[in-house]
Amino acid sequence: MADLQRIIPINIEDEMKSAYIDYSMSVIVSRALPDVRDGLKPVHRRILYAMQDLGLYYNKSHRKSARVVGEVLGKYHPHGDSSVYEAMVRMAQDWSLRYPMVDGQGNFGHIDGDGPAAMRYTEARLARIADEMLSDIKKDTVDFELNFDDSIKEPTVLPARIPNLLVNGASGIAVGMATNMLPHNLREIIDGTIATIKDPQIDTDGLMEYIKAPDFPTGGIIYGVEGVKEAFETGRGRVVVRGKAEIIADAKGRETIIVTEIPYQVSKAGLVIKMSELRRDEKVPGISEIRDESDREGIRIVIEVKRDAMAQVVLSKLYKYSQLQTSYGVNNVALVKGRPQTLSLKSLIEEFIEFRIEVIVRRTQFELKKAEERAHIVEGLIIAVDNIDEVIKIIRGSGTVDEARNSLMDRFDLSEIQAKAILELRLQKLTGLEIEKLREEYNELMEKIKRFKEILASVEIQKDIVVEELMEIRERYGDERRTEVTFADGEISIEDMIPNEEMMVSISHLGYIKRTKSDQYKVQGRGGKGSKGSRTRDKDFVEHIFVANAHNYLLLFTEMGRCYWLRIYEIPEGSRNGSGRVMQNILQIPKEDKVKTYIVVKDLTDQEFLQNNFVMFCTKNGLIKKTTLEAYSRPRVNGINAITINEGDYLIDARLTDGNKEVILANRNGRAIRFNESKVRSMGRNAAGVKGITLDDSEDQVVGMVCVDPDDPAVTILVISEKGNGKRTDVDEYRITNRGGKGVKTMNISEKTGKLIAIKAVVDDDHIVITNRSGLMIRMALSEIRVMGRATQGVRVISLNKGDAIADITVIKPEEEEDIKDLDNTEYEEEE
């Protein structure tokens, strides 16, 4: 019965709740969350305090890490030695903490993810900046409490002179909550703190003039400031960080990506492995080799890019698929007066300011007390010195020390402390010099006491002291930002990585495509032989060549009437002499089909533009069709039907119009027809079109179509024959007729000129690039080709080798021609 009475019945549910709450609070307060005042968790605080106890200051010798860990475990932290050592190791790693608190000697791990050597091999001491965390701790600036076995006392917080929680950040998982605070630049944080002291009403925007964003020890680039601002404002947010990479090109134009900084807390070795896997799995095509060339000087990851790939696209995909770009969820949870709170940037700064004022007040009270105690003693000593003969007489006449002390107290109205100090006075203090020093010391003490009382009586003076001390810290430890800030949105945008520069795009007869910077082509005089423009395979030649900006959309139309989409930057880049890449490897084009024409569009999202502009099609047999551009604004991987092509026919041209243009079609036999665009009604994508021109016979075919503005007098019509003759003719020489007619003569075709090969609308300032079947190109100014009548043969514009012929021409509108050189002023023979 007695045994049963010792059992107390309880509800297991209540007991579990109570026990779990106790456990939760223990984890929250004593393990996982940092204190808002010094920014430290208990283990870190105990490590620093124990190292100070051991005298391991920055200017002393290192001691074995095992000695430090033993001190922490034995006196303050009754947990596992590995947890203490790991915490100390992290405080010594310059890639983990923005401002390391421990100066380690030996193997303290590596940014590759390698662990440190055992604690018996490594040595440690306090870093110099850690002195600022422990400064004035012996001046009653913070509260102390008994340790786990009540044998000694330990500080509940360190009197930190630096805003450690903001500059070094913190992370931890408690029960039901977590914290993830990012590091910042000390100089910026101090500037923001001083600004807050001077203007307590400052808002987040005002603080961001001083504190730009987090500043990581590993550098990198913060991509977008919206998440940063949200974190500063609310204590929660998302910060996107990219590694710093540079693209360099060798003399042959081959590009290489050099990564010199990686995101915070990312293992370099793990990052390189992930990149290699992306290359192996072809998730990021275009990488030929990845090497880690890092050394003691810093990080250097080399990513060699294939010749037909674009380094900026490769880099953008690495940002997307690897930890070269990483996002951090900010969660500013810290203990405020023992309770966890989520804090904004301003709240964190205000809590630190409040703490520093408290430390200064307690330090001043301590120093005031010490100064008053010393002044009290010095005052008694001065009284004794002034009455030295009588003091000596009283002491000599006393039988015991207690009698002497009491006699002095009664005679001179002294306190027991003063009387005791007089009895302990050494004879050397009775010299004239020492007596004067006592009076000087007393005066200095009275000045200090006056100053201390002024400090305690004025909050403004206390704030001035905070500012003064922060400026000293800023001067001593402040450094430049390591992490750059890119003011862009947080989305991954390939366009942001690619300059929107002018590109020359070429498409060969067999379907090879490439892009090249347009200034690689020289401008030559009319009649020149041309330069090598593209190394083509047997029986292949460049069929189309045109200029577009890197961000433009390219609508590609095939002979069979299909439409495909490409961004210009998605086209493989090649050298001027390279052949490019076969289009079937880029687009899902059937082998029996081929790209015949194209349209370059700046944007496919502007609905007003899409609905008020049209695509005008023309087929080999003279059919034409008009459809709104909006019908081709939704890209599909396998393309869409753009126009229905009849048997025996194929598409030869497509042009972008605004509904008010005039259309000119030309055939191989040298005739052209001109009619208004309004003669062709808008049709759906699947329509075949209507007749535009009547051909002479089954051997005849349309060679091209131009759409001109009838109100633009500067435009002339350029025609080129396959054997190198060409000329320009005023538009007005082509009379306007109805569509479907045979048209009028546009060039006098003969055996010497060959059949008509192309028709283009040009102005005097334009340049053209002429490509022949052997791959040679010549670039020339249109002003060198004179304007002639319709019924002439034109002049020789390019000299051809025997058996060669012109394949295509393209018109270029250069804004600047700084690179024009090697002008060939070859004389030409005019042919009427």
Side-chain angles (χ1 to χ4, degrees):
M1 189 65 180
D3 291 339
L4 293 174
Q5 288 177 346
R6 282 199 291 266
I7 298 173
I8 302 172
I10 60 170
N11 187 308
I12 189 170
E13 194 173 308
D14 294 338
E15 177 64 17
M16 288 180 68
K17 284 181 180 178
S18 175
Y20 195 72
I21 287 172
D22 291 343
Y23 165 71
S24 300
M25 289 308 298
S26 174
V27 172
I28 290 169
V29 176
S30 303
R31 193 179 305 176
L33 298 185
D35 193 293
V36 72
R37 297 169 292 178
D38 62 4
L40 297 173
K41 300 177 188 178
V43 64
H44 302 110
R45 187 178 301 119
R46 288 162 175 168
I47 289 169
L48 295 180
Y49 185 64
M51 292 180 77
Q52 185 196 50
D53 265 358
L54 290 170
L56 300 181
Y57 296 103
Y58 74 93
N59 53 359
K60 303 294 183 181
S61 298
H62 293 80
R63 294 277 288 276
K64 284 289 184 181
S65 299
R67 178 70 180 85
V68 177
V69 172
E71 183 81 0
V72 175
L73 291 180
K75 290 184 175 181
Y76 311 113
H77 200 72
H79 299 281
D81 58 352
S82 62
S83 63
V84 175
Y85 184 51
E86 287 169 8
M88 189 181 78
V89 164
R90 188 174 183 277
M91 294 173 77
Q93 293 173 339
D94 57 8
W95 64 90
S96 292
L97 260 64
R98 182 64 177 82
Y99 300 92
M101 293 292 165
V102 174
D103 177 15
Q105 183 170 276
N107 177 13
F108 274 76
H110 195 267
I111 195 171
D112 276 339
D114 300 334
M119 68 180 81
R120 61 183 179 273
Y121 298 119
T122 61
E123 297 177 341
R125 65 183 177 187
L126 290 170
R128 185 176 183 183
I129 197 171
D131 277 2
E132 313 300 339
M133 297 293 294
L134 295 155
S135 175
D136 300 326
I137 196 170
K138 296 179 180 179
K139 294 184 178 180
D140 192 32
T141 51
V142 294
D143 293 333
F144 279 71
E145 63 184 3
L146 291 169
N147 68 344
F148 62 90
D149 62 359
D150 295 347
S151 59
I152 54 176
K153 286 189 174 183
E154 62 175 311
T156 58
V157 66
L158 297 186
R161 294 181 68 190
I162 61 174
N164 181 58
L165 186 57
L166 279 165
V167 299
N168 273 329
S171 63
I173 301 174
V175 177
M177 63 186 67
T179 185
N180 192 34
M181 306 181 71
L182 302 182
H184 295 78
N185 182 269
L186 177 61
R187 184 179 294 173
E188 291 183 3
I189 290 295
I190 288 177
D191 288 343
T193 304
I194 293 173
T196 304
I197 293 172
K198 294 180 177 179
D199 178 15
Q201 304 305 316
I202 193 170
D203 58 7
T204 303
D205 289 333
L207 283 173
M208 289 186 73
E209 292 182 11
Y210 304 95
I211 306 169
K212 305 302 181 186
D215 188 27
F216 300 102
T218 52
I221 301 169
I222 291 177
Y223 190 66
V225 295
E226 288 304 314
V228 172
K229 185 175 181 180
E230 183 182 359
F232 283 175
E233 186 76 43
T234 67
R236 293 177 181 270
R238 179 173 172 270
V239 178
V240 178
V241 182
R242 289 177 165 180
K244 185 178 288 186
E246 178 187 7
I247 297 174
I248 61 173
D250 59 20
K252 296 181 179 179
R254 186 167 183 174
E255 294 180 316
T256 302
I257 301 170
I258 309 294
V259 178
T260 54
E261 294 175 7
I262 62 176
Y264 182 50
Q265 293 179 331
V266 170
S267 165
K268 176 169 64 65
L271 177 61
V272 172
I273 291 171
K274 178 62 176 177
M275 288 179 174
S276 299
E277 289 174 352
L278 292 171
R279 169 179 173 253
R280 181 196 65 198
D281 299 339
E282 296 188 354
K283 197 167 185 179
V284 182
I287 299 176
S288 62
E289 186 180 358
I290 299 175
R291 296 191 306 276
D292 185 359
E293 298 181 356
S294 304
D295 54 22
R296 292 184 179 181
E297 300 299 319
I299 292 173
R300 180 181 169 87
I301 302 172
V302 179
I303 304 161
E304 292 189 359
V305 179
K306 294 179 180 178
R307 293 186 182 277
D308 61 349
M310 186 174 187
Q312 286 164 329
V313 174
V314 170
L315 179 58
S316 181
K317 289 183 178 179
L318 288 174
Y319 281 141
K320 184 174 183 179
Y321 296 119
S322 76
Q323 284 189 302
L324 193 58
Q325 173 170 301
T326 304
S327 63
Y328 299 90
V330 178
N331 191 20
N332 293 340
V333 178
L335 295 175
V336 181
K337 296 178 176 62
R339 297 175 64 88
Q341 288 186 22
T342 301
L343 301 161
S344 65
L345 174 64
K346 187 179 180 184
S347 297
L348 287 165
I349 291 174
E350 288 173 339
E351 290 291 341
F352 176 74
I353 294 170
E354 181 183 337
F355 173 61
R356 280 307 299 166
I357 290 175
E358 179 187 339
V359 168
I360 288 168
V361 168
R362 292 184 61 164
R363 182 183 68 194
T364 306
Q365 290 172 339
F366 176 85
E367 291 176 337
L368 173 61
K369 182 182 177 182
K370 290 292 185 183
E372 288 177 336
E373 289 173 354
R374 178 60 184 169
H376 181 65
I377 292 172
V378 172
E379 186 179 10
L381 293 176
I382 291 173
I383 291 173
V385 170
D386 288 342
N387 300 275
I388 188 64
D389 293 336
E390 188 175 356
V391 168
I392 292 172
K393 184 178 180 180
I394 291 172
I395 294 172
R396 292 184 65 183
S398 302
T400 64
V401 173
D402 289 343
E403 184 182 341
R405 183 175 64 245
N406 292 332
S407 298
L408 289 172
M409 291 170 60
D410 293 338
R411 170 66 184 85
F412 297 107
D413 194 23
L414 300 174
S415 68
E416 184 177 348
I417 294 173
Q418 288 175 319
K420 185 178 179 181
I422 291 170
L423 292 172
E424 294 174 351
L425 186 68
R426 298 174 65 179
L427 291 176
Q428 69 180 27
K429 294 290 184 182
L430 301 178
T431 64
L433 182 61
E434 291 298 324
I435 292 171
E436 187 60 33
K437 283 184 179 179
L438 281 175
R439 298 186 187 280
E440 289 177 1
E441 183 184 357
Y442 181 76
N443 292 333
E444 289 174 3
L445 286 169
M446 296 312 294
E447 288 293 325
K448 286 183 179 180
I449 290 168
K450 180 183 177 182
R451 173 61 178 167
F452 293 151
K453 288 182 176 179
E454 288 175 351
I455 291 171
L456 293 173
S458 172
V459 176
E460 292 304 316
I461 295 177
Q462 295 165 13
K463 289 181 178 178
D464 290 342
I465 293 173
V466 174
V467 171
E468 183 181 342
E469 291 181 350
L470 285 174
M471 291 181 71
E472 289 177 6
I473 297 293
R474 182 184 187 276
E475 184 67 26
R476 189 175 300 165
Y477 303 105
D479 57 4
E480 297 298 324
R481 282 190 66 86
R482 297 181 187 177
T483 305
E484 297 178 10
V485 181
T486 301
F487 294 92
D489 59 29
E491 296 295 324
I492 297 177
S493 174
I494 293 178
E495 285 85 349
D496 291 337
M497 304 296 300
I498 301 170
N500 193 21
E501 55 190 351
E502 189 180 83
M503 295 287 179
M504 179 85 77
V505 179
S506 64
I507 304 171
S508 78
H509 179 70
L510 294 181
Y512 287 83
I513 188 170
K514 69 171 182 178
R515 62 181 171 84
T516 312
K517 292 182 180 179
S518 63
D519 58 8
Q520 288 192 22
Y521 293 93
K522 302 175 183 178
V523 177
Q524 298 184 1
R526 179 173 57 77
K529 287 281 187 181
S531 62
K532 190 71 177 177
S534 180
R535 186 181 68 252
T536 56
R537 288 156 174 76
D538 293 341
K539 298 182 181 179
D540 193 14
F541 56 88
V542 174
E543 202 166 52
H544 305 285
I545 183 167
F546 59 92
V547 171
N549 289 333
H551 291 187
N552 291 164
Y553 287 83
L554 179 62
L555 273 61
L556 295 160
F557 299 95
T558 69
E559 283 187 349
M560 304 308 295
R562 299 285 292 176
C563 176
Y564 297 86
W565 294 262
L566 269 181
R567 301 298 290 273
I568 298 299
Y569 62 73
E570 293 177 329
I571 299 170
E573 186 171 9
S575 65
R576 191 180 68 183
N577 297 330
S579 58
R581 199 174 191 182
V582 67
M583 234 173 307
Q584 272 81 0
N585 291 343
I586 305 172
L587 301 170
Q588 295 183 12
I589 301 174
K591 292 184 178 180
E592 61 274 12
D593 202 358
K594 62 174 289 188
V595 171
K596 192 64 180 176
T597 187
Y598 55 86
I599 289 176
V600 178
V601 181
K602 184 176 181 181
D603 189 10
L604 285 179
T605 60
D606 185 345
Q607 287 299 315
E608 184 177 354
F609 177 79
L610 293 174
Q611 292 172 4
N612 290 288
N613 284 269
F614 303 87
V615 180
M616 184 72 73
F617 297 94
C618 174
T619 73
K620 180 197 75 166
N621 290 343
L623 294 180
I624 58 172
K625 188 189 84 161
K626 183 170 73 173
T627 306
T628 61
L629 180 60
E630 197 274 338
Y632 307 100
S633 64
R634 291 172 289 277
R636 294 183 192 170
V637 175
N638 57 351
I640 61 171
N641 195 40
I643 180 176
T644 297
I645 300 296
N646 297 325
E647 187 176 353
D649 201 1
Y650 58 81
L651 183 70
I652 65 163
D653 216 342
R655 289 285 179 267
L656 190 63
T657 73
D658 58 7
N660 300 311
K661 294 288 193 292
E662 288 181 352
V663 181
I664 300 178
L665 304 176
N667 64 11
R668 282 176 57 81
N669 289 334
R671 286 188 293 105
I673 187 171
R674 174 187 177 192
F675 55 88
N676 197 287
E677 183 183 344
S678 61
K679 299 292 183 180
V680 184
R681 62 180 176 83
S682 181
M683 307 174 191
R685 285 195 295 108
N686 292 319
V690 295
K691 181 178 285 191
I693 187 172
T694 300
L695 301 177
D696 293 340
D697 49 47
S698 60
E699 300 296 323
D700 196 11
Q701 67 180 60
V702 175
V703 296
M705 170 182 67
V706 297
C707 297
V708 298
D709 186 346
D711 298 324
D712 187 355
V715 174
T716 56
I717 301 301
L718 171 71
V719 289
I720 302 285
S721 71
E722 60 186 357
K723 291 190 177 180
N725 277 38
K727 63 173 181 172
R728 291 190 294 151
T729 305
D730 288 330
V731 176
D732 289 341
E733 291 209 21
Y734 300 90
R735 69 177 186 272
I736 298 177
T737 64
N738 288 325
R739 62 172 179 82
K742 285 199 168 188
V744 297
K745 184 176 286 190
T746 184
M747 176 181 271
N748 192 12
I749 297 299
S750 67
E751 185 177 344
K752 190 174 184 179
T753 64
K755 296 287 186 178
L756 200 65
I757 192 70
I759 179 171
K760 302 287 180 181
V762 297
V763 297
D764 287 347
D765 294 335
D766 290 344
H767 289 171
I768 61 169
V769 174
I770 301 173
T771 308
N772 62 25
R773 292 176 183 271
S774 60
L776 291 175
M777 294 183 182
I778 181 172
R779 179 170 175 171
M780 61 186 295
L782 259 298
S783 57
E784 295 187 29
I785 302 177
R786 56 184 285 194
V787 178
M788 304 179 183
R790 286 189 297 104
T792 61
Q793 287 187 342
V795 297
R796 178 74 64 186
V797 295
I798 183 171
S799 299
L800 299 171
N801 295 324
K802 187 175 181 181
D804 204 357
I806 293 178
D808 191 26
I809 66 170
T810 190
V811 178
I812 300 174
K813 299 181 180 298
E815 295 177 0
E816 295 181 1
E817 290 298 340
E818 296 178 357
D819 296 326
I820 295 175
K821 52 188 176 179
D822 297 337
L823 287 174
D824 181 359
N825 297 317
T826 305
E827 294 295 329
Y828 63 92
E829 179 183 352
E830 203 170 278
E831 297 184 13
E832 295 293 342

